Amino acid sequence: MDKKYFRSNVVYQIYPRSFCDSNGDGIGDIPGIISKLDYLKDLGIGIIWLSPVYKSPNCDYGYDISDYKAIQPEFGTMEDMDRLIAEAKKRGIRIIMDLVVNHTSDEHPWFQASRDPKSPYHGYYYWRKGRKNNKKPPNNWTSDFGGSAWKYDPEVDEWYLHLFSEKQVDLDWHNPKILEEVEDILRFWLDKGIYGFRCDVINQIWKEDLDDAKFTIYIRGLDHYLNKQGNHVILQKLHEDVFSKYDCMTVGECYNVTHEAARQFTSGNELDMCFHFDAMHVDQIFAPVFHRKYKPHRLKKILFDWQQAIDWNANYFENHDQLRSIERFGSMDYRNESAKMLALMLMTLRGTPYVYQGEEIGMTNINPYFEKEEYRDPVNHWIYEIIRKIGFSHKGALKRVQNCNRDNARTPMQWSAELNGGFSSGKPWIRENENYVDINVESQLNDPDSIYSFYKKAIGIRKEIPALSYGSFEPIETSNSLMAFRRVFENEAYLVLINMTPHEAKIPDGLFAENSSIVFSNYADSSLKDLTSLRPFESLLIRL
Ligand code: GLC
Ligand code: CA
């Protein structure tokens, strides 16, 4: 039995810009994070995933890196970072960092140097001549962030590839120098005591060829760079040369990953686990702006399929790119019950659970939506323009942008009912959610019925019960509203029953016995006696 640390510990994701501001400039920072380590320890988490803290021009808030070995000055210094690692360690918390190596910032010295065609750095990126006498991009791929994936540089008289914004330039992993550079960066951080990496868009770093892609409405080009064999080879090299030499973990962000590709990514010599996006697409159609009605049974099927397809999942309902989860998978009418339902699901599925900052207090999206002037994520602006172009009104466009507006997850962490939710003494860099007056850490810490207290308890139980970490996953077929599965380890068996809906859900007979007992539940008065149905979002962990 593989009892690696990440199998029995919970990860907490911090988006540093919005977590805690120590000096009143309205921007969260590393000293701010250090000041909250006791809070995190008390919550019971064992691993922090830090979204990027490297030097960055901030076109994508850190996902555009200009120096992989320097700290973003807004966040602090390298001394602060060393202190964070040491202080976390003192509290038994390990830190993983974001590894963004599909692209660098256009302000990275490598890219600056690469603009000289004679420089060895020219081959670090995809510089190409365009078509039609260099007037048109080299192929028809589109960027995730809108428009062509190529940008013409008049001085160089060539085009460069960017799958994201123009300021995020794709590295050419066909060049063996890239592997060398990245391995050097990995060692630099691992030697500092970092426990591993969340690898950004890691299943698209290998561009098989630069031929035209088949026509798609949204993100054209995926067929040429998603989950390619060369990608596996690169990860195997990184694993062999670096990861296998350290006690560390890796989780890959794998957009549109198939079960088969994920199985290969996690087969032991590439990554430890992958984030898939299937659950995030459950209420979308074509592209994130287009909403379709959420159906619990669809989510159940996706999660069950993944549980059975691969040995070890990375389970999550929120992160810095997604809307808050209660409104998606729960209900604002049952905010407490449904937030706790999701917590119970997260902590009982097989795999490493990831909690995103604020999820543990049930933070919500901005309601009804952000105004255009309030947008911080630059992606919103082009989505807005496209929606206007296809004929929607100003208001209609604002509403649709809201369906996928990443700023929702990036509003300041709500610590208290005080000024700016206790996040900062200055004006926050992004609009705060006014509901901090009601939804905040301080008001939940000592309330045994709060969402926070439930998370704390759920995390504790998850760590205490080996079956929840190491046990097998056994799905049980039930009605659409109910999720039911068993977790079995050695001679212990547990049953999880989750009502995913705001309606009553019937429980089939015979799932538990007379001597079974409830370990915990999201209703204070749940009982197995004469239990035949669950109340709205009622969820139970039962010892069989
Ligand atoms: C990942 C990150 C996202 C970023 C993108 C480009 O999807 O999670 O925030 O914009 O990669 O780096
Ligand atoms: Ca600050």
Side-chain angles (χ1 to χ4, degrees):
M1 174 53 52
D2 175 359
K3 292 198 170 164
K4 291 206 182 92
Y5 185 77
F6 61 76
R7 293 206 172 221
S8 55
N9 275 281
V10 174
V11 182
Y12 185 92
Q13 183 192 352
I14 291 181
Y15 192 73
R17 212 175 169 76
S18 303
F19 190 61
C20 180
D21 173 22
S22 71
N23 61 355
D25 65 356
I27 298 171
D29 46 49
I30 295 174
I33 298 173
I34 296 173
S35 74
K36 297 298 181 187
L37 285 172
D38 286 329
Y39 166 76
L40 295 174
K41 181 180 173 183
D42 194 51
L43 180 59
I45 61 109
I47 302 163
I48 291 171
W49 152 24
L50 264 193
S51 272
V53 291
Y54 316 91
K55 195 159 171 234
S56 160
N58 272 342
C59 98
D60 194 14
Y61 300 108
Y63 287 92
D64 50 319
I65 298 170
S66 55
D67 186 344
Y68 290 90
K69 293 184 184 172
I71 297 295
Q72 173 75 342
E74 290 169 317
F75 292 164
T77 61
M78 191 58 89
E79 286 69 52
D80 292 326
M81 185 64 195
D82 289 334
R83 200 154 56 85
L84 172 61
I85 299 169
E87 290 294 324
K89 190 170 175 204
K90 267 192 215 160
R91 292 165 177 83
I93 296 173
R94 305 186 187 188
I95 296 178
I96 66 171
M97 291 177 84
D98 230 294
L99 180 74
V100 188
V101 290
N102 174 70
H103 44 266
T104 71
S105 164
D106 65 338
E107 296 180 33
H108 194 292
W110 298 341
F111 184 72
Q112 292 302 322
S114 85
R115 298 176 72 233
D116 172 1
K118 289 193 286 296
S119 156
Y121 291 100
H122 196 64
Y124 273 39
Y125 300 90
Y126 289 97
W127 284 107
R128 293 292 184 279
K129 285 285 181 200
R131 295 194 290 200
K132 302 255 155 81
N133 258 333
N134 211 11
K135 292 272 177 315
K136 292 264 180 238
N139 67 28
N140 69 352
W141 299 4
T142 59
S143 139
D144 267 39
F145 289 178
S148 170
W150 295 89
K151 164 99 174 158
Y152 177 68
D153 184 323
E155 222 171 281
V156 188
D157 197 29
E158 287 182 22
W159 301 69
Y160 66 80
L161 178 69
H162 61 91
L163 295 186
F164 296 89
S165 83
E166 293 174 10
K167 287 183 66 61
Q168 293 164 295
V169 193
D170 280 59
L171 287 163
D172 183 355
W173 279 88
H174 291 259
N175 180 344
K177 284 296 286 176
I178 303 301
L179 185 87
E180 244 176 69
E181 296 275 14
V182 170
E183 290 191 347
D184 174 57
I185 294 164
L186 295 177
R187 289 193 190 99
F188 174 84
W189 288 104
L190 289 165
D191 288 340
K192 272 187 179 291
I194 284 296
Y195 176 52
F197 299 92
R198 174 268 189 185
C199 310
D200 192 64
V201 295
I202 201 67
N203 63 330
Q204 37 185 279
I205 61 174
W206 185 263
K207 284 75 183 174
E208 187 93 316
D209 55 55
L210 298 178
D211 298 342
D212 268 344
K214 68 167 189 256
F215 183 81
T216 51
I217 301 181
Y218 178 61
I219 321 186
R220 203 177 307 145
L222 291 170
D223 45 331
H224 295 260
Y225 57 76
L226 217 55
N227 310 319
K228 296 298 176 196
Q229 190 48 36
N231 204 141
H232 292 290
V233 173
I234 294 287
L235 288 171
Q236 285 158 17
K237 281 293 286 172
L238 291 177
H239 185 270
E240 185 184 332
D241 297 348
V242 186
F243 298 138
S244 64
K245 306 274 197 301
Y246 293 82
D247 172 20
C248 71
M249 68 167 264
T250 49
V251 50
E253 185 204 22
C254 296
Y255 180 75
N256 277 9
V257 70
T258 58
H259 290 165
E260 197 193 349
R263 223 174 280 132
Q264 198 178 339
F265 282 130
T266 59
S267 60
N269 59 351
E270 297 185 24
L271 298 166
D272 290 310
M273 59 194 121
C274 298
F275 292 122
H276 65 76
F277 279 64
D278 294 355
M280 297 298 122
H281 293 158
V282 68
D283 57 357
Q284 301 170 355
I285 191 147
F286 298 131
V289 269
F290 300 110
H291 188 81
R292 71 168 175 177
K293 195 173 163 22
Y294 166 67
K295 294 273 171 57
H297 72 270
R298 286 202 191 121
L299 180 65
K300 175 167 83 166
K301 177 165 183 350
I302 289 166
L303 295 177
F304 277 18
D305 286 350
W306 274 99
Q307 288 282 305
Q308 295 169 92
I310 57 173
D311 179 57
W312 196 257
N313 276 277
N315 298 314
Y316 72 103
F317 295 121
E318 290 187 8
N319 63 36
H320 65 294
D321 293 331
Q322 297 294 332
L323 294 181
R324 292 288 182 178
S325 58
I326 300 178
E327 287 134 287
R328 287 181 92 174
F329 311 127
S331 152
M332 288 298 272
D333 296 336
Y334 291 95
R335 195 176 140 263
N336 271 286
E337 292 81 357
S338 61
K340 294 174 182 176
M341 175 277 288
L342 290 169
L344 191 140
M345 194 189 297
L346 191 60
M347 296 304 155
T348 53
L349 287 169
R350 185 177 155 91
T352 301
Y354 288 75
V355 178
Y356 178 63
Q357 66 185 44
E359 191 174 356
E360 79 278 23
I361 54 167
M363 276 176 63
T364 61
N365 299 321
I366 289 285
N367 189 17
Y369 44 68
F370 283 88
E371 295 294 338
K372 201 159 175 270
E373 318 69 72
E374 295 170 332
Y375 289 167
R376 290 295 173 270
D377 185 354
V379 186
N380 291 334
H381 289 284
W382 77 258
I383 303 177
Y384 173 90
E385 294 309 329
I386 293 176
I387 300 174
R388 284 307 299 268
K389 260 193 214 134
I390 56 178
F392 283 95
S393 67
H394 171 66
K395 261 205 160 142
L398 292 179
K399 271 195 198 155
R400 267 147 201 102
V401 172
Q402 176 69 5
N403 284 343
C404 60
N405 187 345
R406 304 192 296 180
D407 287 335
N408 281 293
R410 303 175 182 181
T411 60
M413 178 69 184
Q414 297 170 193
W415 294 105
S416 72
E418 276 150 45
L419 178 73
N420 303 321
F423 160 72
S424 170
S425 59
K427 189 173 162 25
W429 70 282
I430 188 169
R431 173 176 165 185
E432 60 208 355
N433 196 325
E434 309 75 89
N435 69 14
Y436 71 75
V437 184
D438 303 310
I439 302 177
N440 62 67
V441 169
E442 198 173 70
S443 68
Q444 296 194 22
L445 268 181
N446 298 316
D447 172 1
D449 292 327
S450 68
I451 297 172
Y452 168 86
S453 295
F454 192 82
Y455 265 90
K456 182 173 166 173
K457 194 163 162 201
I459 293 171
I461 285 172
R462 151 101 201 179
K463 288 197 300 185
E464 258 163 46
I465 299 180
L468 295 182
S469 292
Y470 312 115
S472 60
F473 172 87
E474 299 171 10
I476 300 170
E477 222 176 289
T478 56
S479 72
N480 281 347
S481 324
L482 185 71
M483 179 187 264
F485 55 90
R486 269 182 229 103
R487 299 294 312 274
V488 182
F489 182 65
E490 290 172 350
N491 46 16
E492 292 206 323
Y494 290 83
L495 170 70
V496 177
L497 291 179
I498 295 173
N499 180 359
M500 302 174 80
T501 75
H503 315 290
E504 203 170 281
K506 281 220 131 335
I507 307 173
D509 288 338
L511 290 187
F512 47 87
E514 206 140 278
N515 60 352
S516 304
S517 57
I518 294 180
V519 181
F520 87 129
S521 118
N522 59 347
Y523 277 66
D525 57 350
S526 294
S527 152
L528 291 185
K529 195 161 175 340
D530 303 324
L531 183 71
T532 54
S533 66
L534 295 175
R535 290 165 283 181
F537 298 108
E538 189 172 12
S539 307
L540 313 172
L541 174 65
I542 296 167
R543 200 194 147 120
L544 294 175

